[in-house]
Amino acid sequence: MRVLITNLNLEGWTGTELFVRDVARGLLAKGHRPILYSPRLGRLAAEIRNETIPVVDDLSQVATPPDIIHGQHANETITALLHFSDVPAIYVCHDWYFKEDYPPPFPRVMRYVAVDDQCYDKLIYECGVPEDKTQIICQFVDLKRFQPRSPLPSRPRRAAILCNYTKENEHLKAAREACSERGVTLDVFGAGVGRPCERPEAVLRDYDVVFAKGRAALESAAVGAAVVVYWWRRLGPMATTVNLEQLRADGFGMRAMSSQLTAEEFGRAIDRALEEYDPADAADVSRRVRAEAGRDLAIDELLRIYEEAIAENAATPHDREKEAHAAAAHVRNLTLDFRRQRESVFNSTTFRVGERLRRTPGIGKLARSLARGIVGRRHE
């Protein structure tokens, strides 16, 4: 089966980027032909292509149409549907908040997948997606990459935060102090602290407690760490055998977390989480994750949905006028979004101050001269 997978970008190591990489790896391992498309390619795209998986930023490079489009992010999914005019698609929703992550109302999108309960609710109750065409496939782990660690110590010694939004601030200071008082060293990984974690499988086995959300939390649990749901200034529970099913349904995400905490509240919450450390229960959590959340199980589910979409598309007459109207509505929405973005820029304090300075005699002339000089140097 030829599967074209779309994504907003393939530049770094965010959740959806790693998801499509792992789906492509899983499909290839089962004898299928994945092709990845994104208009924004970077280091991750190069890594995927080195594994002999085709990656393109221009769909005209794909000479043979795929059998199915695995769509992620509305603009890229619509691009693929318009380019391959007879190919059906499924759409996978990953995020409640992200504006680009909404289901495109296009006739050839035959099935919808949510990665957790909140995305399911978004599809059904906000976007009007039919419930009988939607299902949940929770996040998964590549069990070959994320191997089990040695048994946890009786008391935690090392902890790690995995979050690109974490920065050096009062909250992180409070977390370090809470860990230090319990004799736990805390390391931080993420773009916000200039220490991205590109190979978590090589890092996680060194930590007894991991503060993370989403895929990072699930992968940490698969390795065998005690996992605390965490994002920026919010904290959720320690993953246990009692709450694991609900945490997976929540995607180890926002529904499992507190509201934003003050730095003082955050430090106390970190202390309470460390108090709940239970190495035996964490080991049971890890065994369950490895039994229930492996990549192969998720790929089998996706393949079943692909086959359903292909069969339904073959039995459904294509309404070109309806597809044209759907594409026109999407372009209209893009235009409105662009207008809102322009208004936001023009109404910002930075823009207004800049315009005022530009119009000020003397200062404005100097600013324009500096700008021309900078542009000239960039073009040299």
Side-chain angles (χ1 to χ4, degrees):
M1 189 183 298
R2 296 184 298 271
V3 184
L4 177 70
I5 308 172
T6 75
N7 205 64
L8 176 72
N9 56 353
L10 291 170
E11 298 171 303
W13 281 260
T14 63
T16 60
E17 290 171 293
L18 296 178
F19 180 90
V20 299
R21 179 200 63 185
D22 289 349
V23 168
R25 284 173 170 173
L27 290 171
L28 189 67
K30 288 181 178 289
H32 300 283
R33 294 182 182 275
I35 309 109
L36 272 61
Y37 162 70
S38 173
R40 304 168 185 85
L41 305 183
R43 291 176 61 196
L44 184 65
E47 175 189 298
I48 294 168
R49 192 176 180 282
N50 283 340
E51 298 179 17
T52 72
I53 297 171
V55 182
V56 299
D57 60 1
D58 181 352
L59 290 175
S60 65
Q61 297 170 260
V62 182
T64 302
D67 298 306
I68 185 75
I69 295 165
H70 172 128
Q72 299 193 165
H73 302 120
N75 294 341
E76 288 66 37
T77 302
I78 289 286
T79 301
L81 284 162
L82 293 176
H83 188 88
F84 298 107
S85 58
D86 293 314
V87 179
I90 75 162
Y91 184 80
V92 183
C93 178
H94 285 265
D95 191 85
W96 175 270
Y97 296 97
F98 195 43
K99 187 170 182 57
E100 286 83 352
D101 203 350
Y102 72 90
F106 203 87
R108 274 184 286 121
V109 181
M110 300 296 180
R111 293 289 185 275
Y112 299 84
V113 174
V115 299
D116 52 38
D117 281 354
Q118 59 195 19
C119 289
Y120 182 86
D121 288 351
K122 176 180 179 178
L123 292 174
I124 303 300
Y125 302 117
E126 286 195 346
C127 300
V129 173
E131 195 166 8
D132 62 349
K133 293 184 179 292
T134 308
Q135 77 170 74
I136 297 173
I137 298 180
C138 291
Q139 293 280 9
F140 58 83
V141 181
D142 183 341
L143 299 177
K144 291 182 180 179
R145 286 178 57 225
F146 291 90
Q147 293 288 327
R149 57 159 288 159
S150 57
L152 289 172
S154 58
R155 295 175 61 85
R157 295 188 294 264
R158 301 189 66 191
I161 287 176
L162 269 65
C163 178
N164 285 325
Y165 292 90
T166 298
K167 297 181 179 180
E168 291 291 344
N169 56 23
E170 291 300 313
H171 285 73
L172 184 53
K173 179 181 177 183
R176 286 199 174 104
E177 290 174 353
C179 288
S180 178
E181 288 177 5
R182 288 188 173 272
V184 177
T185 59
L186 178 64
D187 295 330
V188 185
F189 298 90
V193 294
R195 194 182 183 188
C197 189
E198 298 177 3
R199 295 289 178 270
E201 66 272 24
V203 170
L204 290 172
R205 299 171 70 180
D206 295 331
Y207 294 96
D208 309 321
V209 179
V210 175
F211 298 90
K213 74 182 239 341
R215 284 172 60 86
L218 189 67
E219 290 164 350
S220 302
V223 168
V227 176
V228 181
V229 181
Y230 159 86
W231 183 65
W232 196 36
R233 299 176 180 179
R234 302 172 186 265
L235 210 65
M238 176 84 73
T240 68
T241 51
V242 174
N243 64 20
L244 178 61
E245 183 176 355
Q246 187 60 54
L247 288 178
R248 284 206 70 203
D250 291 338
F252 290 87
M254 194 61 68
R255 288 187 176 179
M257 299 183 202
S258 66
S259 57
Q260 286 195 23
L261 303 173
T262 66
E264 184 179 354
E265 292 169 337
F266 190 74
R268 290 198 297 266
I270 292 285
D271 183 70
R272 289 194 297 271
L274 295 174
E275 178 68 30
E276 296 172 5
Y277 176 81
D278 183 339
D281 193 70
D284 288 340
V285 168
S286 182
R287 282 189 285 271
R288 279 183 53 185
V289 167
R290 300 190 70 83
E292 301 168 6
R295 184 188 69 186
D296 287 350
L297 294 174
I299 296 299
D300 287 343
E301 276 292 286
L302 284 171
L303 286 167
R304 180 186 62 77
I305 296 171
Y306 296 162
E307 290 167 356
E308 287 181 358
I310 292 169
E312 183 175 335
N313 181 65
T316 304
H318 290 182
D319 188 333
R320 299 305 184 191
E321 184 175 4
K322 191 174 181 180
E323 291 188 3
H325 289 169
H330 184 73
V331 172
R332 176 181 178 274
N333 287 335
L334 290 178
T335 302
L336 293 174
D337 285 344
F338 180 65
R339 179 179 177 180
R340 283 190 287 266
Q341 290 170 8
R342 287 184 63 194
E343 290 174 348
S344 177
V345 171
F346 293 156
N347 291 327
S348 68
T349 301
T350 302
F351 182 84
R352 289 178 174 178
V353 170
E355 283 295 286
R356 190 174 302 166
L357 289 173
R358 187 177 65 82
R359 294 190 181 101
T360 301
I363 296 178
K365 184 177 180 180
L366 176 61
R368 288 191 292 272
S369 297
L370 288 172
R372 283 194 294 269
I374 292 170
V375 171
R377 285 196 297 273
R378 286 179 177 173
H379 288 184
E380 289 176 356

